Amino acid sequence: MKTKLLVLAAAALIAWELKRHYADARVDDLWWILSPTTRLVSMTTGATFAMQSGEGYFSRERLFLIEKSCAGINFMIAAFVMVAVALVHRARSGMRAAAVVAASLLVSYLAAVLVNAVRIAIAMWLAAHHFAIATFSGADVHRLEGITVYFTGLVVLYEIVLRLDGREV
């Protein structure tokens, strides 16, 4: 029980530190998540992006900017805590507890890059097709798209973690 509480405390501390880092970071400080996300978006959409210091990754031909708010850090935090909680039962020793925290961090990072790239690619498609619903502004559609993609990403990630852990939902 003590080891499991340590995992949960470590997860809470890491989540808090990630949130603090994100709040204080400039876009240039988020290269570790924005760069791979942008490469994945570029591969899937064919758009070319160039880093604009202090702004983010800009596609001139699409007039689309991947900026700080596009980093997916909040998704990564939610995914990290969710995976850590889903796997906390495996923490029966100090080494296994460290492995749970490390695996949760790695999985949440990879999921954040992938899910965020999907979200950005969809947002680019919506922007190119001027998709709007009469009662929603473009910003509303963008927000709803982000909520839908992130929620779906968390559900799918949870399902994958449980299946890999040998449990069924």
Side-chain angles (χ1 to χ4, degrees), residues 62-85:
R62 303 280 182 99
L63 296 176
F64 196 91
L65 179 67
I66 300 175
E67 60 169 332
K68 178 181 175 177
S69 65
C70 299
I73 301 291
N74 290 325
F75 175 86
M76 182 180 167
I77 292 167
F80 169 66
V81 172
M82 181 190 71
V83 173
V85 169

Side-chain angles (χ1 to χ4, degrees), residues 143-154:
R143 189 176 308 105
L144 288 171
E145 178 257 342
I147 291 167
T148 303
V149 171
Y150 283 147
F151 178 75
T152 302
L154 286 173

Side-chain angles (χ1 to χ4, degrees), residues 28 40 43 58 61 72-73 79 81 86 94-95 98 110 125 132 134 146 167:
D28 298 343
L40 196 52
M43 287 185 337
F58 184 65
E61 73 264 15
I73 301 291
V81 172
M95 288 299 286
L110 295 173
W125 184 88
R167 295 182 287 160

Side-chain angles (χ1 to χ4, degrees), residues 44-120:
T44 58
T45 65
T48 303
F49 290 87
M51 177 58 172
Q52 304 290 316
S53 185
E55 295 179 36
Y57 293 84
F58 184 65
S59 172
R60 291 195 192 291
E61 73 264 15
R62 303 280 182 99
L63 296 176
F64 196 91
L65 179 67
I66 300 175
E67 60 169 332
K68 178 181 175 177
S69 65
C70 299
I73 301 291
N74 290 325
F75 175 86
M76 182 180 167
I77 292 167
F80 169 66
V81 172
M82 181 190 71
V83 173
V85 169
L87 297 178
V88 72
H89 71 280
R90 292 187 162 266
R92 294 187 187 105
S93 69
M95 288 299 286
R96 291 187 102 186
V100 165
V101 171
S104 299
L105 197 54
L106 177 63
V107 167
S108 67
Y109 172 77
L110 295 173
V113 169
L114 178 63
V115 171
N116 206 29
V118 168
R119 183 192 63 78
I120 293 168

Side-chain angles (χ1 to χ4, degrees), residues 10-61:
L13 181 62
I14 291 168
W16 186 80
E17 286 294 330
L18 277 169
K19 188 66 173 173
R20 290 297 338 131
H21 171 69
Y22 176 60
D24 298 336
R26 295 171 297 121
V27 69
D28 298 343
D29 299 329
L30 298 173
W31 62 267
W32 55 273
I33 194 160
L34 284 173
S35 180
T37 300
T38 302
R39 276 185 294 211
L40 196 52
V41 170
S42 185
M43 287 185 337
T44 58
T45 65
T48 303
F49 290 87
M51 177 58 172
Q52 304 290 316
S53 185
E55 295 179 36
Y57 293 84
F58 184 65
S59 172
R60 291 195 192 291
E61 73 264 15

